[in-house]
Amino acid sequence: MRLATIETAVGRRLVALRNDGYVDLNRTDPRIPPDLKSFLVMGKEAWVWAEEARIRGQALDPEQARLLPPILDPQKIICVGANYADHAQESGMPVPSEPVIFCKFPTALCAPEQPILLPPVATQVDYEAELVVVIGRRGRNIPVEEAGEYIAGYCCGNDVSARDWQLHKPGGQWLLGKSFDTFAPVGPALVSPDELPRPLHLSIQLRLNGQVMQSSNTRHLVFSPEKLIAHVSQVCTLEPGDLLFTGTPGGVGMARKPPVFLKAGDLLEVEIEGIGVLRNPVASYSQGE
Ligand code: ZN
């Protein structure tokens, strides 16, 4: 199933994609909550209701629906550094022997089509196409063999990064450099694992103004989503709706010669095979919402 959160004239809605458009699950079945995180907390029963509602509900006029991030208020946004060998190399980092973890504040979330805002205090803002895992169940110390059961689905993500903050501030400021408001676009929908092939070998691409800047495949992930879940859950409890950005392949702007940094008017597209396209324009703060 493909689930999305939309803003309509009558409020936020949880919708499921059908070939004729999005179906309003809340209107079709009032037991289904409008908020995807609450939906995930309800567990398997809610998925059954959603599938029934998806089949019998009425499709919405796409003009009436504005996509929001699928999860509006994740408790955590967990990220992984250097999780593709070619990106580790271009960043001057060794391929890690265990996952390199950092995070983004949830306030950085950005909807599909919403502008990424260039902060006046940053000059080296860069893109990173990433597969995002959405956690579906609470868990701690999850064995790698069971980790798949904790995955509700996958989205496209863009780990937008101010390199001048991330790398050149005293001590390096990964958290702040990656947590400016709008620096975590996620979407366009949550795609459940049954919609995707196993193993999860999906092409992943980033386009800047139509030009391909990153092109790889999730088969090249150093640590799979399952391994990342097992690793992180040794430390903290994973909660439904938590987001896990799984790292970016080679081709980021800072590693190019000359470097490429984002400017107002740019258009970024992250496309992952079987998941969709996440599109965001880039704007200066004065042009933003
Ligand atoms: Zn990243």
Side-chain angles (χ1 to χ4, degrees):
M1 199 152 20
R2 290 163 186 272
L3 298 172
T5 303
I6 61 167
E7 186 80 61
T8 71
V10 290
R12 286 175 185 168
R13 291 288 198 241
L14 181 61
V15 296
L17 189 64
R18 207 169 57 189
N19 48 18
D20 56 344
Y22 284 115
V23 174
D24 181 338
L25 298 180
N26 314 125
R27 202 175 70 175
T28 312
D29 185 341
R31 293 174 300 181
I32 299 173
D35 158 52
L36 182 49
K37 192 163 89 174
S38 305
F39 173 88
L40 295 176
V41 169
M42 293 170 81
K44 285 189 177 138
E45 193 173 38
W47 286 91
V48 174
W49 297 340
E51 182 55 29
E52 288 167 4
R54 189 184 74 90
I55 291 164
R56 69 185 159 88
Q58 265 191 337
L60 287 165
D61 175 1
E63 296 293 307
Q64 291 179 349
R66 184 169 69 86
L67 282 169
L68 295 173
I71 302 279
L72 294 164
D73 56 344
Q75 190 199 59
K76 296 186 275 306
I77 302 181
I78 301 162
C79 304
V80 187
N83 203 25
Y84 288 82
D86 58 350
H87 177 59
Q89 189 181 29
E90 72 180 0
S91 307
M93 294 171 72
V95 176
S97 56
E98 65 177 71
V100 174
I101 303 294
F102 59 97
C103 67
K104 292 167 97 75
F105 291 135
T107 41
L109 273 180
C110 184
E113 307 289 348
Q114 183 185 340
I116 295 164
L117 299 181
L118 298 174
V121 294
T123 56
Q124 299 181 352
V125 180
D126 202 349
Y127 53 78
E128 293 191 353
E130 303 201 9
L131 174 73
V132 174
V133 174
V134 181
I135 300 296
R137 287 169 57 188
R138 173 179 287 178
R140 186 153 184 278
N141 288 321
I142 300 165
V144 68
E145 314 79 62
E146 293 171 23
E149 296 164 31
Y150 291 79
I151 298 175
Y154 301 91
C155 308
C156 301
N158 194 339
D159 177 16
V160 180
S161 306
R163 304 298 187 196
D164 42 349
W165 283 63
Q166 181 196 349
L167 302 172
H168 306 309
K169 292 277 183 185
Q173 297 285 347
W174 282 57
L175 172 64
L176 296 182
K178 287 167 174 278
S179 285
F180 285 96
D181 286 359
T182 72
F183 274 24
V186 177
L190 176 152
V191 179
S192 58
D194 57 302
E195 298 260 343
L196 296 168
R198 298 300 304 179
L200 198 68
H201 292 173
L202 309 173
S203 64
I204 176 168
Q205 195 176 77
L206 183 132
R207 295 185 292 272
L208 171 61
N209 303 324
Q211 186 185 343
V212 176
M213 306 296 272
Q214 295 179 285
S215 183
S216 186
N217 191 292
T218 57
R219 79 160 72 95
H220 299 308
L221 283 167
V222 177
F223 299 102
S224 66
E226 289 80 6
K227 284 186 183 159
L228 296 169
I229 287 170
H231 184 76
V232 174
S233 72
Q234 300 175 104
V235 176
C236 59
T237 303
L238 296 179
E239 296 284 352
D242 282 354
L243 302 179
L244 176 59
F245 278 63
T246 58
T248 201
V252 298
M254 71 167 174
R256 292 174 172 272
K257 293 184 178 46
V260 173
F261 294 117
L262 300 178
K263 54 191 192 316
D266 283 343
L267 179 68
L268 290 171
E269 292 170 292
V270 175
E271 180 161 14
I272 302 179
E273 182 181 6
I275 298 180
V277 180
L278 168 65
R279 188 179 296 107
N280 295 92
V282 178
S284 64
Y285 257 87
S286 56
Q287 294 170 301
E289 288 174 355

